Amino acid sequence: MEVALIVAGVLLLFLVVLLAKTIRIVPQARAGIVERFGKYKTTLDAGLNTVVPFVDKVRYTIDLREQVVSFPPQPVITEDNLVVSIDTVIYFQVTDPVAATYEIADYIQAVEQLTTTTLRNIVGGMDLEETLTSRDSINSGLRGVLDEATGKWGIRVNRVELKGIDPPPSIKDSMEQQMRADRNKRAAILTAEGQRQSAILTAEGNKQSAILNAEGDRESQILRAQADREAQILRAQGEGQAIQTVFQAIHDGRPDQSLLAYQYLQMMPKIAEGDANKVWIVPSEIGKALEGLGSTMNQLSGIPTETEGPLTRVDMGPTEPQVPSPAGSSVGAADDAVRAAIAEAAHAADPSGTDAPDTAPDTAPDTAPASEPPAPTAPE
């Protein structure tokens, strides 16, 4: 009985081991390489697979996903003999698991070495400035060479990127100085251009201001000249009318030699006016004018003794202000009576009537014609 149990246990264990050796589960996006007695037999896909136990063996499990490998910086000499450190990143994918297993021992190391040699070949034909500014061309060159070389290994290179390009420290300092100088130059150029534009705009503004000021001055002078001309015309017209009025008044007043002599006497004090007048000349006509005052027989040359034309007396109006009174009041009647009494007394005192005052009432109308202006004093 015990022997039977032992045999049953051994058989059960053998079945479990046999089942484990027969069933193989491959994860998604992976491929299993099966060898039979050390020779490639088949490739297992993702999922549940069966193999011959103790005969077939899953030697390798290949990852079919896209992989990213970053390589350490590699020293590369440029065309101008400068050593730069370049580190790269490779994006690749296994397309043929059998070739990736049996065509190359370590495809990752192979890709790294191929990338280094290809990078040195490409960068060796460029100077430092071109290397720093030609990342896209370097990436394209690397990808083309790697894709062609790794095709027989069952690998497809999807993308190559230069992660960093580090020049020597001395070159970095020189580049920084050059960059700083270039930026200072551009800043100075921009500043100069700004100042030039500002000066141009300022000059244009001053020009426009000067033009507007000149136009304003011209218009102001034109208007002022027109105003002066009109003022002179009006002044001349006024003087002409005044002269005509005075001339007409003189002719209407019929001046004689006594009036001219009196005007000469009025002029003499004006001749002596002023503190600086120490000596003044008496006109020769003064003596004749004085003689004319003493005797009307003497005549001044050029002045007629009689003038033709109507003799017009200018009514100068009352010498005292008159206060108008309401019509029909007792105050107005009293004033009329007083004026009548004064007139009778004056007539009794001077019957000849030479010194009789003008006793005409204020209400009497002016006897002089309205069209004739009052005669002013004769000119000096």
Side-chain angles (χ1 to χ4, degrees):
M1 189 67 180
E2 294 180 357
V3 174
L5 292 175
I6 294 173
V7 171
V10 172
L11 289 176
L12 182 60
L13 181 61
F14 177 76
L15 290 176
V16 172
V17 173
L18 182 62
L19 184 62
K21 292 291 184 178
T22 302
I23 298 174
R24 290 288 186 268
I25 298 176
V26 179
Q28 181 65 33
R30 283 171 174 77
I33 304 300
V34 178
E35 294 180 354
R36 179 173 291 179
F37 301 113
K39 184 180 179 181
Y40 171 74
K41 174 63 178 174
T42 185
T43 301
L44 301 180
D45 297 329
L48 182 62
N49 298 277
T50 60
V51 296
V52 178
F54 305 106
V55 176
D56 296 337
K57 181 179 181 181
V58 180
R59 177 70 63 180
Y60 302 102
T61 301
I62 306 300
D63 193 348
L64 301 180
R65 295 174 297 179
E66 185 175 5
Q67 302 181 36
V68 181
V69 180
S70 177
F71 301 134
Q74 300 293 328
V76 180
I77 301 176
T78 60
E79 187 179 8
D80 49 358
N81 297 326
L82 293 176
V83 180
V84 294
S85 296
I86 302 177
D87 51 344
T88 57
V89 178
I90 304 297
Y91 297 82
F92 67 94
Q93 185 178 9
V94 177
T95 57
D96 188 357
V98 178
T101 303
Y102 297 104
E103 295 294 335
I104 187 71
D106 189 353
Y107 56 83
I108 294 179
Q109 184 179 3
V111 170
E112 178 182 1
Q113 297 300 323
L114 183 61
T115 300
T116 302
T117 56
T118 305
L119 185 62
R120 289 178 177 175
N121 290 333
I122 294 175
V123 176
M126 299 179 180
D127 56 7
L128 178 61
E129 189 72 21
E130 189 177 0
T131 302
L132 295 175
T133 57
S134 302
R135 289 176 176 260
D136 293 338
S137 61
I138 295 175
N139 294 338
S140 300
L142 276 174
R143 183 180 178 280
V145 174
L146 290 175
D147 195 15
E148 181 180 359
T150 58
K152 62 181 180 179
W153 300 339
I155 297 174
R156 183 179 70 243
V157 177
N158 297 326
R159 191 173 182 182
V160 179
E161 293 291 341
L162 299 181
K163 191 165 63 174
I165 301 176
D166 297 328
S170 59
I171 301 301
K172 285 185 178 180
D173 295 339
S174 300
M175 292 173 63
E176 290 179 358
Q177 293 178 3
Q178 181 181 1
M179 185 182 301
R180 192 179 300 109
D182 184 53
R183 290 185 177 179
N184 292 335
K185 180 183 72 174
R186 285 185 292 177
I189 291 173
L190 292 177
T191 302
E193 289 180 354
Q195 292 177 355
R196 184 187 65 179
Q197 293 294 333
S198 176
I200 290 173
L201 294 178
T202 302
E204 290 180 354
N206 294 333
K207 175 183 175 183
Q208 294 294 331
S209 177
I211 291 174
L212 294 177
N213 290 333
E215 291 179 354
D217 293 340
R218 182 187 66 182
E219 294 178 359
S220 176
Q221 293 177 3
I222 291 173
L223 294 177
R224 193 179 296 110
Q226 292 178 352
D228 293 341
R229 182 186 67 181
E230 294 178 359
Q232 292 178 3
I233 291 173
L234 294 177
R235 194 179 298 109
Q237 291 177 355
E239 290 179 356
Q241 292 178 1
I243 291 173
Q244 290 179 359
T245 303
V246 172
F247 185 76
Q248 184 66 33
I250 291 174
H251 279 274
D252 293 342
R254 301 175 62 185
D256 54 4
Q257 294 183 4
S258 299
L259 177 60
L260 297 179
Y262 180 71
Q263 293 293 331
Y264 271 120
L265 291 177
Q266 285 184 338
M267 188 187 300
M268 292 177 63
K270 293 183 180 181
I271 297 175
E273 287 180 357
D275 298 336
N277 293 336
K278 303 300 182 181
V279 178
W280 51 281
I281 301 174
V282 179
S284 61
E285 291 83 356
I286 294 299
K288 296 181 179 181
L290 294 177
E291 293 177 0
L293 290 176
S295 175
T296 58
M297 298 300 294
N298 295 329
Q299 298 180 0
L300 295 177
S301 58
I303 302 301
T305 58
E306 295 181 359
T307 58
E308 297 179 357
L311 179 61
T312 303
R313 181 178 181 81
V314 179
D315 187 7
M316 302 303 295
T319 58
E320 296 181 357
Q322 302 294 325
V323 179
S325 60
S329 63
S330 60
V331 178
D335 291 340
D336 294 339
V338 171
R339 282 195 292 271
I342 292 173
E344 291 179 359
H347 181 70
D350 188 6
S352 61
T354 57
D355 296 334
D358 189 7
T359 59
D362 294 340
T363 59
D366 192 3
T367 58
S371 61
E372 296 180 0
T377 306
E380 298 179 0

